[in-house]
mmCIF file of all heavy atoms in Angstrom:
data_model
loop_
_atom_site.group_PDB
_atom_site.id
_atom_site.type_symbol
_atom_site.label_atom_id
_atom_site.label_comp_id
_atom_site.label_asym_id
_atom_site.label_seq_id
_atom_site.Cartn_x
_atom_site.Cartn_y
_atom_site.Cartn_z
ATOM 1 N N ASN A 55 -8.510 25.420 5.473
ATOM 2 C CA ASN A 55 -8.186 26.733 4.943
ATOM 3 C C ASN A 55 -8.757 26.902 3.546
ATOM 4 O O ASN A 55 -8.998 25.926 2.840
ATOM 5 C CB ASN A 55 -6.665 26.990 4.967
ATOM 6 C CG ASN A 55 -5.838 25.852 4.413
ATOM 7 O OD1 ASN A 55 -5.913 24.723 4.900
ATOM 8 N ND2 ASN A 55 -5.053 26.123 3.396
ATOM 9 N N GLU A 56 -8.977 28.159 3.226
ATOM 10 C CA GLU A 56 -9.654 28.500 1.987
ATOM 11 C C GLU A 56 -8.833 29.550 1.251
ATOM 12 O O GLU A 56 -8.246 30.439 1.857
ATOM 13 C CB GLU A 56 -11.049 29.057 2.329
ATOM 14 C CG GLU A 56 -11.954 29.269 1.141
ATOM 15 C CD GLU A 56 -13.373 29.672 1.569
ATOM 16 O OE1 GLU A 56 -13.948 28.978 2.431
ATOM 17 O OE2 GLU A 56 -13.863 30.694 1.082
ATOM 18 N N ASP A 57 -8.779 29.415 -0.068
ATOM 19 C CA ASP A 57 -8.101 30.409 -0.887
ATOM 20 C C ASP A 57 -8.936 30.593 -2.142
ATOM 21 O O ASP A 57 -8.855 29.791 -3.076
ATOM 22 C CB ASP A 57 -6.690 29.933 -1.231
ATOM 23 C CG ASP A 57 -5.910 30.954 -2.037
ATOM 24 O OD1 ASP A 57 -6.456 32.046 -2.308
ATOM 25 O OD2 ASP A 57 -4.761 30.677 -2.390
ATOM 26 N N GLY A 58 -9.786 31.616 -2.113
ATOM 27 C CA GLY A 58 -10.667 31.843 -3.257
ATOM 28 C C GLY A 58 -11.631 30.690 -3.445
ATOM 29 O O GLY A 58 -12.376 30.332 -2.543
ATOM 30 N N ARG A 59 -11.565 30.058 -4.615
ATOM 31 C CA ARG A 59 -12.490 28.956 -4.919
ATOM 32 C C ARG A 59 -12.035 27.616 -4.358
ATOM 33 O O ARG A 59 -12.710 26.610 -4.531
ATOM 34 C CB ARG A 59 -12.640 28.850 -6.455
ATOM 35 C CG ARG A 59 -13.216 30.089 -7.115
ATOM 36 C CD ARG A 59 -13.364 29.908 -8.628
ATOM 37 N NE ARG A 59 -12.064 29.810 -9.299
ATOM 38 C CZ ARG A 59 -11.594 28.689 -9.819
ATOM 39 N NH1 ARG A 59 -12.288 27.557 -9.769
ATOM 40 N NH2 ARG A 59 -10.413 28.683 -10.434
ATOM 41 N N PHE A 60 -10.874 27.606 -3.729
ATOM 42 C CA PHE A 60 -10.274 26.368 -3.254
ATOM 43 C C PHE A 60 -10.348 26.270 -1.729
ATOM 44 O O PHE A 60 -10.024 27.220 -1.037
ATOM 45 C CB PHE A 60 -8.803 26.297 -3.694
ATOM 46 C CG PHE A 60 -8.614 26.301 -5.179
ATOM 47 C CD1 PHE A 60 -8.572 27.506 -5.881
ATOM 48 C CD2 PHE A 60 -8.489 25.125 -5.886
ATOM 49 C CE1 PHE A 60 -8.399 27.519 -7.252
ATOM 50 C CE2 PHE A 60 -8.334 25.126 -7.262
ATOM 51 C CZ PHE A 60 -8.285 26.333 -7.942
ATOM 52 N N THR A 61 -10.774 25.076 -1.269
ATOM 53 C CA THR A 61 -10.811 24.817 0.171
ATOM 54 C C THR A 61 -10.115 23.496 0.444
ATOM 55 O O THR A 61 -10.393 22.492 -0.217
ATOM 56 C CB THR A 61 -12.259 24.737 0.678
ATOM 57 O OG1 THR A 61 -12.920 25.965 0.423
ATOM 58 C CG2 THR A 61 -12.278 24.448 2.179
ATOM 59 N N ALA A 62 -9.203 23.503 1.417
ATOM 60 C CA ALA A 62 -8.495 22.280 1.802
ATOM 61 C C ALA A 62 -8.811 21.954 3.241
ATOM 62 O O ALA A 62 -8.962 22.850 4.075
ATOM 63 C CB ALA A 62 -6.992 22.473 1.628
ATOM 64 N N GLN A 63 -8.929 20.665 3.528
ATOM 65 C CA GLN A 63 -9.195 20.237 4.898
ATOM 66 C C GLN A 63 -8.355 19.028 5.244
ATOM 67 O O GLN A 63 -8.003 18.225 4.371
ATOM 68 C CB GLN A 63 -10.674 19.912 5.056
ATOM 69 C CG GLN A 63 -11.571 21.136 4.958
ATOM 70 C CD GLN A 63 -12.947 20.904 5.535
ATOM 71 O OE1 GLN A 63 -13.582 19.927 5.161
ATOM 72 N NE2 GLN A 63 -13.385 21.769 6.422
ATOM 73 N N LEU A 64 -8.043 18.915 6.516
ATOM 74 C CA LEU A 64 -7.246 17.805 7.030
ATOM 75 C C LEU A 64 -8.040 17.126 8.140
ATOM 76 O O LEU A 64 -8.533 17.793 9.038
ATOM 77 C CB LEU A 64 -5.922 18.335 7.589
ATOM 78 C CG LEU A 64 -5.083 17.397 8.450
ATOM 79 C CD1 LEU A 64 -4.611 16.176 7.669
ATOM 80 C CD2 LEU A 64 -3.876 18.147 9.022
ATOM 81 N N ASN A 65 -8.144 15.825 8.052
ATOM 82 C CA ASN A 65 -8.789 15.037 9.108
ATOM 83 C C ASN A 65 -7.755 14.062 9.648
ATOM 84 O O ASN A 65 -7.503 13.008 9.053
ATOM 85 C CB ASN A 65 -10.000 14.296 8.545
ATOM 86 C CG ASN A 65 -10.769 13.546 9.605
ATOM 87 O OD1 ASN A 65 -10.186 12.895 10.486
ATOM 88 N ND2 ASN A 65 -12.088 13.623 9.570
ATOM 89 N N ARG A 66 -7.136 14.426 10.775
ATOM 90 C CA ARG A 66 -6.052 13.587 11.315
ATOM 91 C C ARG A 66 -6.590 12.271 11.868
ATOM 92 O O ARG A 66 -5.918 11.241 11.780
ATOM 93 C CB ARG A 66 -5.304 14.338 12.410
ATOM 94 C CG ARG A 66 -4.398 15.446 11.875
ATOM 95 C CD ARG A 66 -3.432 15.934 12.939
ATOM 96 N NE ARG A 66 -2.654 17.062 12.468
ATOM 97 C CZ ARG A 66 -1.515 16.939 11.779
ATOM 98 N NH1 ARG A 66 -1.046 15.740 11.491
ATOM 99 N NH2 ARG A 66 -0.858 18.008 11.387
ATOM 100 N N ALA A 67 -7.767 12.289 12.411
ATOM 101 C CA ALA A 67 -8.313 11.051 12.999
ATOM 102 C C ALA A 67 -8.502 9.978 11.922
ATOM 103 O O ALA A 67 -8.218 8.799 12.137
ATOM 104 C CB ALA A 67 -9.638 11.356 13.691
ATOM 105 N N SER A 68 -8.997 10.393 10.766
ATOM 106 C CA SER A 68 -9.240 9.440 9.676
ATOM 107 C C SER A 68 -8.092 9.415 8.665
ATOM 108 O O SER A 68 -8.134 8.657 7.705
ATOM 109 C CB SER A 68 -10.541 9.781 8.951
ATOM 110 O OG SER A 68 -11.623 9.732 9.848
#
Side-chain angles (χ1 to χ4, degrees):
Chain A
N55 47 302
E56 189 173 309
D57 182 1
R59 298 181 293 109
F60 299 85
T61 300
Q63 292 198 308
L64 166 63
N65 184 317
R66 286 194 185 274
S68 301

